[in-house]
Amino acid sequence: MLKNSKNLSAYDYGDACTFYLGAIIVTLISQAVAGIVASALSGAVPDIASNGDFNTAFMIVIQLANAAFIYFYTKIKRKKFDFTFVRRDGDGKGITPAVIIVPIVAAVVLMVGMYLPTVWYGYFTRVIGVPKSAGEIELSSVSSIVMIIIASVALAPCMEETIYRGVLLHGMRREKTEVKAVMFSALAFTIMHMNVVQVVFQFALGVLSGFVALKSKRLLPSVILHATANGLALLIQLPAIAAWLLSCELWLTGHVAAAVFITLGLFVAAGGALYFIVKYAFGRAPEEAERQTVAEVEPAAKEIEEAAQEGETDDEKANKVVEVRKAAGRSDGTFKYFIGIGICAVMLIVNLVTVIVS
């Protein structure tokens, strides 16, 4: 764990959900600014909304806004992270080849297993009226290509992993099982993109990244996994690769039985491979120390007095206050988590309707 100061408290469940809601608000504000700027420039720059340089530049702006939010919110609220980035939590073990290689291999396996399910999901979205080009960014200039690499392969993995697999996932682990914490954080990560075309692959990436972060006991492997997955998504858009993949898709659409067996076979094989990769590839980690909870914070004297009953010791009084605080924090955190999910879900629906009717 990162012990920056004894005067700082770690993100608990409620704090983590509040942090997540704040990150969503920052993202929405950044997107609103992008819309305002696009409207202001629409007269001078034709097709500004689909301009690759404009969109990729704002992708960088959004990630820089996330970085500023992470830093200033954590500093102002006097919080600290209860996860590590590079050295393994528990024993401080440094980077090994597995920390670099395993996430890259996992990203490739994930892409192989999820490619066809994502393709068939794309066919479904087109049936309901979503154009094939929805969510795509025009990359017609060198500058737009460079900026999207910076945004999606460098900045986004660092910022989004810190928010969703760092603060949110580890905060949720205080109140939920490991599996539930991973699933809830993956759902938040998926809906945050507000893009109906991306939901299948993004959720799979979020789940895998969550387990990688927990099993490796540090955040760097999930950042590498995320960056590799985004890089592969860009790579398969190269004309030669895209043409070959399209020919495979067309053949499969004409051979339904083969499409079903190949899709299920790759999905199951990739799932099995990823299970063993995540479970065994990072080596044996030390037993996890008990996480800091509100029980470590000395309750206020007034609250102790209000919770006290005659004959109780000071420790018993303090424990009652702690339980009250934990229950209040749990309720407040859940409410804020679903507020964030709800906001993103509404924006997702708005974006879906917009691309269908436009």
Side-chain angles (χ1 to χ4, degrees), residues 5 27 109 135 146 153 168 171 276 282 305 328:
S5 171
T27 298
V109 174
V146 171
V153 181
L168 184 59
F276 284 100
F282 291 105
E305 183 178 353

Side-chain angles (χ1 to χ4, degrees), residues 53-225:
D53 288 322
F54 176 81
N55 283 296
T56 51
F58 256 99
M59 288 175 65
I60 293 176
V61 170
I62 289 174
Q63 297 308 325
L64 293 178
N66 282 335
F69 170 76
I70 292 169
Y71 175 78
F72 287 109
Y73 185 90
T74 301
K75 188 176 182 65
I76 291 171
K77 301 296 288 185
R78 297 189 60 77
K79 295 295 180 180
K80 62 181 177 182
F81 300 141
D82 66 340
F83 55 91
T84 58
F85 286 87
V86 178
R87 294 191 173 274
R88 188 165 64 181
D89 189 9
D91 61 1
K93 188 175 182 180
I95 297 177
T96 62
V99 172
I100 306 297
I101 297 172
V102 170
I104 295 175
V105 173
V108 174
V109 174
L110 177 68
M111 181 65 74
V112 171
M114 290 301 302
Y115 181 78
L116 287 177
T118 303
V119 168
W120 307 139
Y121 171 74
Y123 276 84
F124 165 74
T125 60
R126 291 198 285 279
V127 168
I128 64 175
V130 179
K132 186 177 181 180
S133 59
E136 292 183 359
I137 297 176
E138 178 187 343
L139 301 175
S140 56
S141 65
V142 174
S143 57
S144 63
I145 294 173
V146 171
M147 284 192 289
I148 199 169
I149 292 174
I150 293 173
S152 64
V153 181
L155 293 177
C158 293
M159 300 306 110
E160 292 174 2
E161 291 303 309
T162 300
I163 294 170
Y164 294 94
R165 255 67 67 180
V167 176
L168 184 59
L169 173 60
H170 285 79
M172 284 197 156
R173 286 196 63 205
R174 296 175 179 275
E175 295 294 339
K176 302 184 181 301
T177 64
E178 185 174 281
V179 172
K180 287 183 178 180
V182 169
M183 294 299 173
F184 276 109
S185 61
L187 176 63
F189 169 72
T190 302
I191 304 297
M192 172 272 297
H193 288 86
M194 305 173 204
N195 188 329
V196 67
V197 177
Q198 298 179 351
V199 296
V200 171
F201 186 79
Q202 292 290 1
F203 185 73
L205 175 60
V207 171
L208 179 59
S209 294
F211 282 117
V212 165
L214 294 180
K215 297 303 181 183
S216 66
K217 295 190 178 295
R218 58 190 124 192
L219 210 60
L220 179 61
S222 69
V223 172
I224 295 173
L225 169 67

Side-chain angles (χ1 to χ4, degrees), residues 13-22 24-25 168 172 175-176 184 326-344:
Y13 174 78
D15 294 328
C17 293
T18 304
F19 178 91
Y20 157 65
L21 179 58
I24 292 299
I25 293 172
L168 184 59
M172 284 197 156
E175 295 294 339
K176 302 184 181 301
F184 276 109
K326 287 178 67 176
R330 185 183 303 115
S331 176
D332 184 59
T334 300
F335 176 75
K336 290 178 179 177
Y337 172 83
F338 282 107
I339 287 292
I341 288 288
I343 291 172
C344 293

